[in-house]
Amino acid sequence: MQLTKQKVGVLGATGTVGQRFILLLAQHPNFKIHKLGASSASVGKVYKDAVKGRWKQVVGIPENIASVPVLECTVENFKDCDIVFSGLDSGPASTIEPAFRKAELRVFSNAKNFRLDEQCPLVVPLANDSHFGILPHQQKAQGLQKGFIVTNANCSTTGIIPPLKALQDAFGSLDKVVVTTLQAVSGAGYPGVSSFDIHDNVVPYISGEEEKIEAETMKMLGSLSSDGTQFQKEPVTVSAQCNRVPVLDGHTECVSLSFKQRPPPSIDQVKEVLRNYTCEAQKLKAHSAPAQAIVVHEEEDRPQPRLDRDHQNGACVHVGRVRKCPVFDVKFVVLSNNVMIGAATSSVMNAEIALAQGYLN
Amino acid sequence: MQLTKQKVGVLGATGTVGQRFILLLAQHPNFKIHKLGASSASVGKVYKDAVKGRWKQVVGIPENIASVPVLECTVENFKDCDIVFSGLDSGPASTIEPAFRKAELRVFSNAKNFRLDEQCPLVVPLANDSHFGILPHQQKAQGLQKGFIVTNANCSTTGIIPPLKALQDAFGSLDKVVVTTLQAVSGAGYPGVSSFDIHDNVVPYISGEEEKIEAETMKMLGSLSSDGTQFQKEPVTVSAQCNRVPVLDGHTECVSLSFKQRPPPSIDQVKEVLRNYTCEAQKLKAHSAPAQAIVVHEEEDRPQPRLDRDHQNGACVHVGRVRKCPVFDVKFVVLSNNVMIGAATSSVMNAEIALAQGYLN
Amino acid sequence: MQLTKQKVGVLGATGTVGQRFILLLAQHPNFKIHKLGASSASVGKVYKDAVKGRWKQVVGIPENIASVPVLECTVENFKDCDIVFSGLDSGPASTIEPAFRKAELRVFSNAKNFRLDEQCPLVVPLANDSHFGILPHQQKAQGLQKGFIVTNANCSTTGIIPPLKALQDAFGSLDKVVVTTLQAVSGAGYPGVSSFDIHDNVVPYISGEEEKIEAETMKMLGSLSSDGTQFQKEPVTVSAQCNRVPVLDGHTECVSLSFKQRPPPSIDQVKEVLRNYTCEAQKLKAHSAPAQAIVVHEEEDRPQPRLDRDHQNGACVHVGRVRKCPVFDVKFVVLSNNVMIGAATSSVMNAEIALAQGYLN
Amino acid sequence: MQLTKQKVGVLGATGTVGQRFILLLAQHPNFKIHKLGASSASVGKVYKDAVKGRWKQVVGIPENIASVPVLECTVENFKDCDIVFSGLDSGPASTIEPAFRKAELRVFSNAKNFRLDEQCPLVVPLANDSHFGILPHQQKAQGLQKGFIVTNANCSTTGIIPPLKALQDAFGSLDKVVVTTLQAVSGAGYPGVSSFDIHDNVVPYISGEEEKIEAETMKMLGSLSSDGTQFQKEPVTVSAQCNRVPVLDGHTECVSLSFKQRPPPSIDQVKEVLRNYTCEAQKLKAHSAPAQAIVVHEEEDRPQPRLDRDHQNGACVHVGRVRKCPVFDVKFVVLSNNVMIGAATSSVMNAEIALAQGYLN
């Protein structure tokens, strides 16, 4: 029985990711929005005024949040929170997140700053929550009792990790992974991508994105040492090509991969593993966990972003067109909702898992 | 000095490819539209009436073509043509094209039917015009004096062949090629893709497209035997993933490849070869040949379909983001105008080359 | 207390409107899907097979409907239904709907055929349910006990009727109405509008649409004679210009109008009337009725189709930018969800009202 | 015979309108780019570097302009120009344009600041070049010999003025005009409209746009007093509703209007007048003048932005669907290329006319 909800703060509450945090947390069984933080332009306003003209969600501002005052992102303002969710850009995140940790706050961050940090778990909640095991080490190394930083992955990395993890768990190490992404405009926030740039167009470049996929994948598919003090990178070779396409939400990714194991598993074995994959968030009955972590499509033309992105409130990933690859062993298409599991939903589900696993005691 | 223009027929003249033929041929220095053919719905009308409500070009119907009558696609109607360009769908093409050849007509076809035929050249005019050398053998095998069928490649294959050929010529055989396409809606003709399917969406499947890229590439990168009687397939392994994206014209393709040669060429060597590539159509000063066959972009976010597809009247291919691939040797982005070099422009340029090389005597 | 649900048949069940009927009726408190009908291509299949590759909804086929067999649309097949919802095109509707009525079936039709019929009510359920009063006359005139045809309006007419009716109720007859529409592609069904036609484009023409708005508005704003035997057209002059725009769902309509009453009401009075408008469906607590029939927006840039179309499950209409018109008295913007209140939701809500009002006894 | 070209300066040369000026003037028979000005971020760079990553045209930077240095927009820097074209935003335009005039420079401005000024002509070159007749008065009132400011209209006003002027010239004063616009995203410049706002959407509001159409139309349809010292506003009543739609270039406008003259002209008479309309720019053989000022379409679904916007290099306006209006006398659809005749082309054509009429002596 949950007697009291954890008090949560949301940093960057007025931005694109922040707005999603608000929607996910306004009526959450474990968490209760306690404090909202944003940049100086919003400080001193109540939430609904701070996002005036910038609230771009298809549902309205939750009534119980509309009049919450927006604060400056200082430790002083948030020190009585149990958890802080950060939707900050990497600029402000670079100083605010470590300052909050130092003040013994638990920070669940969407920013890129600490993803590759040796002490910080980088967790896609559908895949590698075992990396939370580094947290005691992080606290010890930082000289802290409670404070830590947990990060979730870049939106385009998030989509591919669950199927890659499922296959690695079943068939051993992957050898090579080639991925080409077709990413939605919402991934760039608001105002983000100019209509002038993406209308009737493809932009075959997203700054820093390919490097993130390549590095984050190696960390997340890797393991934590048995003493819980260091991450061992998985020696998989990853090559990514990233494109922006005129789609609002939902990243499509075309993946080809090979296994180290020879002969490789059959296509039917691959499909079965993906279909039967179950993650810890499901077993723990985390509030945001999808009923099915990986939805495998048999129709030849699915998944599609417009039709599939909102399935299970965007908390799962979709895999389709699983078939033999003439160059590697298997190829398939992945779809994930970049603003949900690719961003705020991952942070929140990470916190739900951490809570269930006792890391928030 | 060219005394008289070749009399050309256009089959499938009212369709999407056919309309492009009309625009390319209406004022051509070597060819003169002599006969127009289409399906029974159009037969008996003059051209402008036959395409009423279906002429979807940004320029109007050429005045000298507007009143040309549309005929049934019979040998009888077209027998006094020197050349026939076919924009027919594969259904009617399967019987009409061989019948026309048998009647000693030279057929330049966009249809897929004869692309992999052992006697028919499959030619991207910017790359493998040497395959025309099979034509005497085709004529002999068919017991013909003049008639033949020449095909050009599928639009998505067309884009990648020039850079692949340039690299193969310079650095020897390619080993593996992985390509993911982001294809424009115009590739599906008219009415083609429903707005309901592609609006705010990606469709990660185009029927038959991946197989075409994989098979056509092996034929076109291959060589013709020294006696001109058979094609030797290049043993390159190709894997394609094809997607439809909400772009009007212009196929974007993300390519990663490895060479057989070890060590592979450097990125600078690859760029230099692509930049300096010159094709036979340019040397022959073919009317439709671009000044530069492969345009290499140095900006980090180019090529882009909307900005680059109309360069050189869509007759070239664009390559950008040439860089090292962690998995293979090199990766880059290709853009080609699928309705120009990917379709009608290829047929017309093929005929220009064949004319210059004496195959139309 | 509702003891038993009405048994309903759905005609045209595999089409765009039919699919929406399925979603609205699969778990309805008053209605239970009993029979499904479609064209010969679907007959003999179970529903999920009949819509294979054509189910374009973001939620899946309801499980309890997936295996229902699809029947030919004959009286024999549907005679044990209490109600029939018709999503038929006007071609088949022209014979099937009257045949069904003649067989004593109650038909709620989306087709245009009987909208202007002197015996058939044309009802936007948020506005003129009083027109159901003609039903006894229709039955008598047709020599029937139970059978009738009820129609709902064209999608673009549907959006403007609630605000026009609200204003007419409050301030007396309208004099002139000028409306320009910006209509979504889903209004044309599937495959409907070719992406080639609407991509990066506006098509300033929709066949028959302007005439429908002009005629249907006069009927629906008119009254039923006191003896319930004839409709008196409202002598309002309406001029419509209709455009298709690249939006998936949601028709935007720019309206300017004048009142007969001089001086006209103030802008504040107009807003107040729109905001306070309550329709019979709300009072009857019809299952599909929105909590608010007309949502009035105060933000200067709303309503917008993408942000507002799904509010209240698309069962309401939105009005924004209510302001003085230099030429007429007032101008404003209307948004309605063309696939919901503009189509299937109207039929279903009409049946709910008719049920509550005793017309289905 | 033109002995020497006028030396022109371009202010705001790096912006969206400025880039169009560059393209229009790089090879102009009357004008020669002499100086380029932009904001401090660009000052000190050569043009091609100043627009790096912001050059969004489908043709490249003209070679003869690429290395021109970008200067601060000071009188000192531009004093040796004969003409200055201003693509400045209204902020900097408010001080720079009058300062340039005061320094005896001829300024042709796209900015809104002086459009309604009593001494400044507001001219759509296809319609009311007679307003240049105020220039001697402006110079006298300002105590100047050569300097003046000429403005061209807002892009959405520009489209409707030529047909309104043609009809007024032929049939006398217009009484009422109602116009609803569907405006392209390029009208907002770069980065302008966020893809997040306009993707799959309509925004029924453009700040200040409706007021501009209403006020500018009255000025431009009005006359200049016989002594050339004041504009007499035309007492036509105009009501505009403005929408942004997901189209790149090309504003569509739905117009309904009534004439003062009773009975009004017939639809055939209206069409004939529009079709036969000839403007002064054509008579003067101005370089940028279209061969046909108003293109009248007979097809029921034209004009369309994607198909018609580039006709005659975007220098004309298109009118289609001319038909009776149930509320007013006539209604029709107008299309104009907002980045060409709606912006830079108007400025340049205005200067061409002014040159031919002797105002630049």
Side-chain angles (χ1 to χ4, degrees):
Chain A
M1 191 179 64
Q2 173 111 20
L3 288 173
T4 51
K5 293 186 184 182
Q6 301 263 325
K7 288 183 283 187
V8 308
V10 177
L11 305 182
T14 58
T16 307
V17 173
Q19 292 180 21
R20 295 283 173 171
F21 276 133
I22 299 299
L23 292 177
L24 290 169
L25 296 169
Q27 303 289 343
H28 196 282
N30 311 124
F31 307 128
K32 177 189 145 116
I33 291 179
H34 182 59
K35 293 284 175 66
L36 299 180
S39 64
S40 54
S42 300
V43 169
K45 299 177 183 168
V46 297
Y47 189 70
K48 74 174 172 213
D49 292 335
V51 295
K52 200 166 196 137
R54 295 179 65 92
W55 180 263
K56 301 288 172 181
Q57 310 300 324
V58 297
V59 293
I61 300 170
E63 284 190 25
N64 60 334
I65 308 298
S67 300
V68 174
V70 178
L71 309 172
E72 198 183 346
C73 295
T74 62
V75 164
E76 193 60 29
N77 283 331
F78 286 79
K79 66 184 175 191
D80 64 337
C81 290
D82 298 306
I83 300 175
V84 169
F85 291 103
S86 167
L88 293 172
D89 288 336
S90 61
S94 67
T95 53
I96 294 174
E97 294 184 358
F100 273 54
R101 173 174 64 179
K102 197 170 177 183
E104 296 286 8
L105 285 161
R106 278 88 177 234
V107 180
F108 289 84
S109 169
N110 259 278
K112 68 180 179 187
N113 309 57
F114 291 87
R115 284 187 191 144
L116 302 181
D117 185 284
E118 294 189 352
Q119 297 171 2
C120 291
L122 168 64
V123 175
V124 170
L126 306 178
N128 68 319
D129 59 283
S130 68
H131 285 203
F132 287 142
I134 195 98
L135 289 175
H137 172 68
Q138 182 187 154
Q139 291 168 326
K140 190 173 163 196
Q142 298 286 333
L144 298 169
Q145 301 299 316
K146 297 167 53 187
F148 60 64
I149 294 174
V150 164
T151 65
N152 49 282
N154 183 44
C155 52
S156 56
T157 320
T158 300
I160 59 173
I161 289 296
L164 297 186
K165 185 61 162 50
L167 296 176
Q168 178 185 277
D169 286 354
F171 305 116
S173 287
L174 306 177
D175 187 20
K176 296 180 191 313
V177 178
V178 169
V179 57
T180 300
T181 71
L182 297 85
Q183 299 184 222
V185 295
S186 59
Y190 182 80
V193 182
S194 166
S195 57
F196 214 87
D197 282 326
I198 199 63
H199 182 85
D200 186 27
N201 207 12
V202 167
V203 179
Y205 176 71
I206 301 174
S207 178
E209 197 81 357
E210 298 173 354
E211 294 80 358
K212 287 178 192 167
I213 293 178
E214 294 168 7
E216 294 179 8
T217 299
M218 292 176 76
K219 178 169 180 180
M220 284 190 282
L221 293 184
S223 56
L224 183 62
S225 63
S226 55
D227 62 356
T229 63
Q230 56 184 1
F231 295 114
Q232 283 144 342
K233 275 202 283 191
E234 176 72 7
V236 59
T237 313
V238 182
S239 176
Q241 300 211 48
C242 294
N243 301 280
R244 187 79 68 194
V245 295
V247 165
L248 188 72
D249 291 328
H251 288 354
T252 304
E253 306 182 68
C254 294
V255 179
S256 287
L257 61 85
S258 60
F259 296 92
K260 291 232 162 98
Q261 169 189 317
R262 309 319 295 172
S266 72
I267 296 301
D268 283 344
Q269 288 173 314
V270 165
K271 281 191 197 179
E272 194 186 354
V273 159
L274 294 173
R275 202 179 287 115
N276 294 336
Y277 178 73
T278 311
C279 66
E280 196 64 19
Q282 295 170 276
K283 293 172 195 157
L284 296 170
K285 300 189 191 305
H287 175 66
S288 305
Q292 197 167 2
I294 301 175
V295 176
V296 178
H297 295 255
E298 287 297 331
E299 307 92 322
E300 62 191 3
D301 62 352
R302 296 286 276 269
Q304 295 177 14
R306 188 166 65 74
L307 295 179
D308 296 311
R309 63 193 172 200
D310 290 327
H311 186 56
Q312 299 189 108
N313 200 28
C316 62
V317 303
H318 297 259
V319 174
R321 304 201 68 218
V322 182
R323 60 210 194 281
K324 273 194 91 62
C325 176
V327 165
F328 294 115
D329 296 332
V330 60
K331 53 185 175 182
F332 51 81
V333 175
V334 175
L335 176 79
S336 60
N337 187 319
N338 57 298
V339 294
M340 300 305 285
I341 191 62
T345 299
S346 267
S347 279
V348 172
M349 208 187 307
N350 276 344
E352 293 165 357
I353 296 170
L355 177 68
Q357 292 177 338
Y359 291 108
L360 303 187
N361 294 339
Chain B
M1 191 180 66
Q2 173 112 20
L3 288 173
T4 53
K5 293 185 185 182
Q6 301 264 324
K7 288 183 284 187
V8 306
V10 177
L11 305 181
T14 59
T16 307
V17 174
Q19 293 180 21
R20 295 281 172 172
F21 276 133
I22 299 300
L23 292 178
L24 289 170
L25 296 168
Q27 304 288 345
H28 196 283
N30 312 121
F31 307 127
K32 178 189 144 117
I33 290 178
H34 183 59
K35 294 284 177 66
L36 299 180
S39 65
S40 53
S42 300
V43 170
K45 299 177 182 167
V46 296
Y47 188 69
K48 74 174 171 213
D49 292 336
V51 294
K52 202 170 192 129
R54 294 178 65 90
W55 180 264
K56 300 287 170 182
Q57 309 301 324
V58 296
V59 294
I61 301 170
E63 282 189 25
N64 60 337
I65 307 298
S67 300
V68 174
V70 178
L71 308 171
E72 200 183 344
C73 296
T74 62
V75 165
E76 193 59 30
N77 283 331
F78 286 78
K79 67 183 173 191
D80 63 338
C81 290
D82 298 307
I83 300 176
V84 170
F85 291 103
S86 167
L88 293 173
D89 288 336
S90 61
S94 67
T95 54
I96 294 173
E97 294 184 359
F100 273 53
R101 173 175 64 179
K102 198 170 176 181
E104 296 287 7
L105 284 161
R106 277 88 176 236
V107 180
F108 289 83
S109 170
N110 259 277
K112 69 178 179 188
N113 308 57
F114 292 87
R115 283 187 192 146
L116 302 181
D117 185 283
E118 294 188 353
Q119 297 171 2
C120 292
L122 169 63
V123 176
V124 170
L126 306 179
N128 69 318
D129 59 284
S130 67
H131 286 202
F132 288 143
I134 194 100
L135 289 175
H137 172 68
Q138 181 185 157
Q139 291 169 326
K140 188 172 165 195
Q142 297 286 332
L144 298 169
Q145 301 298 316
K146 296 169 53 188
F148 60 64
I149 294 175
V150 165
T151 64
N152 48 282
N154 183 46
C155 52
S156 56
T157 320
T158 300
I160 60 171
I161 289 296
L164 296 186
K165 185 63 162 50
L167 295 176
Q168 178 185 276
D169 286 353
F171 306 116
S173 287
L174 306 176
D175 188 20
K176 298 182 190 311
V177 178
V178 169
V179 57
T180 298
T181 70
L182 297 85
Q183 298 184 225
V185 295
S186 59
Y190 182 80
V193 182
S194 166
S195 56
F196 214 88
D197 282 326
I198 200 63
H199 182 86
D200 186 26
N201 207 13
V202 167
V203 179
Y205 176 72
I206 301 174
S207 179
E209 197 81 357
E210 297 172 356
E211 295 79 358
K212 287 178 192 168
I213 293 177
E214 294 167 8
E216 294 179 10
T217 299
M218 293 176 76
K219 179 170 179 179
M220 284 190 281
L221 294 185
S223 57
L224 184 62
S225 63
S226 54
D227 63 354
T229 64
Q230 56 184 4
F231 295 114
Q232 284 146 341
K233 275 201 284 193
E234 176 71 8
V236 58
T237 312
V238 182
S239 176
Q241 299 210 48
C242 294
N243 301 280
R244 188 77 69 194
V245 295
V247 165
L248 189 72
D249 291 328
H251 288 355
T252 303
E253 305 182 68
C254 294
V255 178
S256 287
L257 62 83
S258 61
F259 296 91
K260 290 234 162 95
Q261 169 191 318
R262 309 318 298 172
S266 71
I267 296 302
D268 282 344
Q269 287 173 316
V270 165
K271 282 191 194 177
E272 193 185 354
V273 159
L274 294 173
R275 202 179 286 116
N276 294 337
Y277 179 73
T278 310
C279 68
E280 196 64 19
Q282 295 170 273
K283 294 173 195 158
L284 295 169
K285 299 190 191 304
H287 174 67
S288 306
Q292 196 167 3
I294 300 175
V295 175
V296 179
H297 295 255
E298 288 296 331
E299 308 91 324
E300 63 190 3
D301 62 352
R302 296 286 275 269
Q304 295 178 14
R306 188 166 64 73
L307 296 179
D308 296 311
R309 63 194 175 202
D310 291 327
H311 185 56
Q312 299 189 104
N313 201 28
C316 62
V317 302
H318 297 258
V319 175
R321 304 201 69 217
V322 182
R323 61 210 192 282
K324 274 194 89 62
C325 176
V327 166
F328 293 115
D329 296 332
V330 61
K331 53 185 176 182
F332 50 81
V333 176
V334 175
L335 175 80
S336 59
N337 187 318
N338 57 298
V339 295
M340 301 304 286
I341 190 63
T345 299
S346 267
S347 279
V348 172
M349 210 189 304
N350 276 343
E352 293 165 358
I353 297 170
L355 177 67
Q357 292 178 337
Y359 290 109
L360 304 187
N361 294 339
Chain C
M1 190 178 69
Q2 173 111 22
L3 288 173
T4 52
K5 293 184 185 183
Q6 301 263 326
K7 287 183 286 187
V8 307
V10 177
L11 305 180
T14 58
T16 307
V17 174
Q19 292 181 21
R20 295 282 173 172
F21 276 134
I22 299 300
L23 291 179
L24 290 169
L25 296 168
Q27 303 288 344
H28 196 281
N30 312 121
F31 307 127
K32 178 190 141 118
I33 291 179
H34 184 59
K35 293 283 176 68
L36 300 181
S39 65
S40 54
S42 300
V43 169
K45 297 177 183 168
V46 297
Y47 188 69
K48 74 174 171 212
D49 291 336
V51 295
K52 200 168 194 130
R54 295 179 64 91
W55 180 265
K56 300 289 170 181
Q57 310 299 325
V58 297
V59 293
I61 300 169
E63 282 189 24
N64 60 336
I65 308 299
S67 299
V68 174
V70 178
L71 309 170
E72 200 184 344
C73 296
T74 63
V75 165
E76 192 60 28
N77 283 332
F78 286 80
K79 67 183 173 190
D80 64 337
C81 290
D82 298 305
I83 300 175
V84 171
F85 291 102
S86 168
L88 292 173
D89 288 335
S90 60
S94 67
T95 54
I96 294 173
E97 293 184 359
F100 273 54
R101 174 175 64 180
K102 197 169 177 183
E104 295 287 8
L105 284 161
R106 279 88 177 236
V107 180
F108 289 83
S109 170
N110 259 278
K112 69 179 178 188
N113 308 59
F114 292 88
R115 285 188 191 143
L116 302 181
D117 185 283
E118 294 189 351
Q119 297 170 2
C120 291
L122 169 63
V123 176
V124 170
L126 306 179
N128 69 319
D129 59 284
S130 68
H131 285 203
F132 287 142
I134 195 96
L135 289 175
H137 172 68
Q138 182 185 154
Q139 291 169 327
K140 190 173 165 196
Q142 297 286 332
L144 297 170
Q145 301 299 316
K146 295 167 55 187
F148 60 64
I149 294 175
V150 165
T151 65
N152 48 283
N154 184 45
C155 52
S156 56
T157 321
T158 300
I160 59 172
I161 289 297
L164 297 186
K165 184 65 162 50
L167 296 176
Q168 179 184 275
D169 287 353
F171 306 115
S173 287
L174 306 177
D175 188 21
K176 297 182 191 309
V177 178
V178 169
V179 57
T180 298
T181 71
L182 297 85
Q183 299 184 224
V185 295
S186 59
Y190 181 79
V193 182
S194 166
S195 56
F196 214 88
D197 281 327
I198 199 64
H199 183 85
D200 186 26
N201 206 12
V202 166
V203 179
Y205 175 71
I206 301 174
S207 178
E209 197 81 358
E210 297 172 356
E211 296 80 356
K212 286 178 193 170
I213 292 177
E214 293 167 8
E216 294 179 9
T217 298
M218 292 177 75
K219 178 169 180 179
M220 283 190 281
L221 293 185
S223 58
L224 184 62
S225 64
S226 55
D227 63 355
T229 64
Q230 55 184 3
F231 295 114
Q232 283 144 343
K233 274 202 284 192
E234 176 71 9
V236 57
T237 312
V238 182
S239 176
Q241 299 211 50
C242 294
N243 301 281
R244 187 78 69 194
V245 294
V247 165
L248 188 73
D249 291 327
H251 288 354
T252 303
E253 305 183 68
C254 294
V255 179
S256 286
L257 62 84
S258 61
F259 296 91
K260 292 235 161 93
Q261 169 191 316
R262 309 318 299 169
S266 71
I267 296 302
D268 282 344
Q269 288 173 315
V270 165
K271 281 191 197 179
E272 193 185 355
V273 159
L274 294 173
R275 201 179 286 116
N276 294 337
Y277 179 73
T278 311
C279 68
E280 196 65 19
Q282 295 170 275
K283 294 173 196 156
L284 295 169
K285 299 189 191 306
H287 174 66
S288 306
Q292 197 168 0
I294 301 176
V295 176
V296 179
H297 295 255
E298 288 295 332
E299 307 92 323
E300 64 191 1
D301 63 352
R302 298 285 278 266
Q304 295 178 14
R306 188 166 64 74
L307 295 180
D308 296 311
R309 64 196 173 200
D310 290 327
H311 186 57
Q312 297 188 106
N313 201 27
C316 62
V317 302
H318 296 260
V319 175
R321 304 201 68 216
V322 182
R323 61 209 192 283
K324 275 195 88 63
C325 175
V327 166
F328 293 115
D329 296 333
V330 61
K331 54 184 175 182
F332 50 81
V333 176
V334 175
L335 176 79
S336 60
N337 187 319
N338 58 298
V339 294
M340 301 303 288
I341 191 64
T345 299
S346 267
S347 281
V348 171
M349 209 188 307
N350 275 344
E352 293 164 356
I353 296 170
L355 177 68
Q357 292 178 337
Y359 290 108
L360 303 186
N361 295 338
Chain D
M1 189 181 65
Q2 174 109 21
L3 287 173
T4 51
K5 293 184 184 182
Q6 302 264 325
K7 288 182 285 185
V8 307
V10 177
L11 305 181
T14 58
T16 307
V17 174
Q19 292 180 20
R20 295 283 171 172
F21 275 132
I22 298 299
L23 292 178
L24 290 169
L25 295 168
Q27 304 289 344
H28 196 283
N30 312 123
F31 307 127
K32 177 189 143 114
I33 291 180
H34 183 58
K35 293 283 176 67
L36 300 181
S39 65
S40 54
S42 299
V43 170
K45 298 177 183 167
V46 297
Y47 189 68
K48 74 174 171 213
D49 292 335
V51 294
K52 198 166 196 131
R54 295 179 64 91
W55 180 264
K56 300 289 171 181
Q57 310 299 325
V58 297
V59 293
I61 300 169
E63 282 189 24
N64 60 338
I65 308 300
S67 300
V68 174
V70 178
L71 309 171
E72 200 184 344
C73 296
T74 62
V75 165
E76 192 59 28
N77 283 331
F78 286 79
K79 67 183 174 191
D80 64 339
C81 291
D82 296 307
I83 300 176
V84 170
F85 292 103
S86 167
L88 293 172
D89 288 336
S90 61
S94 66
T95 53
I96 293 174
E97 293 184 358
F100 273 53
R101 173 175 64 181
K102 196 169 178 183
E104 295 286 9
L105 285 162
R106 279 87 178 235
V107 180
F108 288 83
S109 169
N110 259 277
K112 68 178 179 187
N113 309 58
F114 292 87
R115 284 187 190 144
L116 302 181
D117 185 284
E118 295 189 351
Q119 298 170 3
C120 291
L122 169 64
V123 176
V124 171
L126 305 179
N128 68 318
D129 59 284
S130 67
H131 285 203
F132 288 143
I134 195 100
L135 289 176
H137 171 69
Q138 182 186 155
Q139 292 169 327
K140 189 172 165 196
Q142 298 285 333
L144 298 169
Q145 301 299 319
K146 297 167 55 187
F148 60 65
I149 294 174
V150 165
T151 65
N152 49 282
N154 183 44
C155 52
S156 56
T157 321
T158 300
I160 61 172
I161 289 297
L164 297 186
K165 185 62 164 50
L167 295 176
Q168 178 184 276
D169 286 352
F171 306 116
S173 286
L174 306 177
D175 188 20
K176 296 181 190 309
V177 178
V178 169
V179 57
T180 299
T181 71
L182 298 84
Q183 299 184 223
V185 295
S186 58
Y190 182 79
V193 182
S194 165
S195 56
F196 214 88
D197 282 325
I198 200 62
H199 182 86
D200 186 26
N201 207 12
V202 166
V203 179
Y205 175 72
I206 301 173
S207 178
E209 197 81 358
E210 297 173 356
E211 295 79 358
K212 287 179 192 169
I213 293 178
E214 293 168 9
E216 294 179 9
T217 299
M218 293 177 75
K219 178 169 181 180
M220 284 189 281
L221 293 184
S223 57
L224 184 62
S225 64
S226 54
D227 63 354
T229 64
Q230 56 184 5
F231 295 114
Q232 283 145 341
K233 274 201 284 191
E234 176 72 8
V236 57
T237 312
V238 182
S239 176
Q241 300 211 49
C242 294
N243 301 281
R244 187 77 68 194
V245 295
V247 165
L248 188 73
D249 292 327
H251 288 354
T252 303
E253 305 183 68
C254 293
V255 178
S256 287
L257 61 83
S258 60
F259 296 92
K260 291 233 161 95
Q261 169 190 316
R262 309 318 296 171
S266 71
I267 296 301
D268 283 343
Q269 289 173 314
V270 165
K271 280 191 198 180
E272 195 186 352
V273 159
L274 294 174
R275 201 180 286 114
N276 295 336
Y277 178 72
T278 311
C279 66
E280 196 64 18
Q282 296 171 275
K283 293 174 195 157
L284 295 170
K285 300 190 192 304
H287 174 68
S288 306
Q292 197 167 1
I294 301 175
V295 175
V296 178
H297 295 256
E298 288 296 332
E299 308 91 323
E300 64 191 1
D301 63 352
R302 296 287 276 267
Q304 295 178 14
R306 188 165 65 74
L307 295 179
D308 296 311
R309 62 193 173 201
D310 290 328
H311 186 56
Q312 298 188 109
N313 201 26
C316 63
V317 302
H318 297 259
V319 175
R321 305 200 69 217
V322 182
R323 60 210 193 283
K324 275 195 89 63
C325 175
V327 166
F328 293 114
D329 295 333
V330 60
K331 54 185 175 182
F332 50 81
V333 176
V334 175
L335 175 79
S336 60
N337 187 319
N338 57 297
V339 294
M340 300 304 287
I341 191 62
T345 300
S346 267
S347 281
V348 171
M349 210 188 304
N350 276 343
E352 293 166 357
I353 296 170
L355 176 68
Q357 292 178 340
Y359 290 108
L360 303 187
N361 294 340

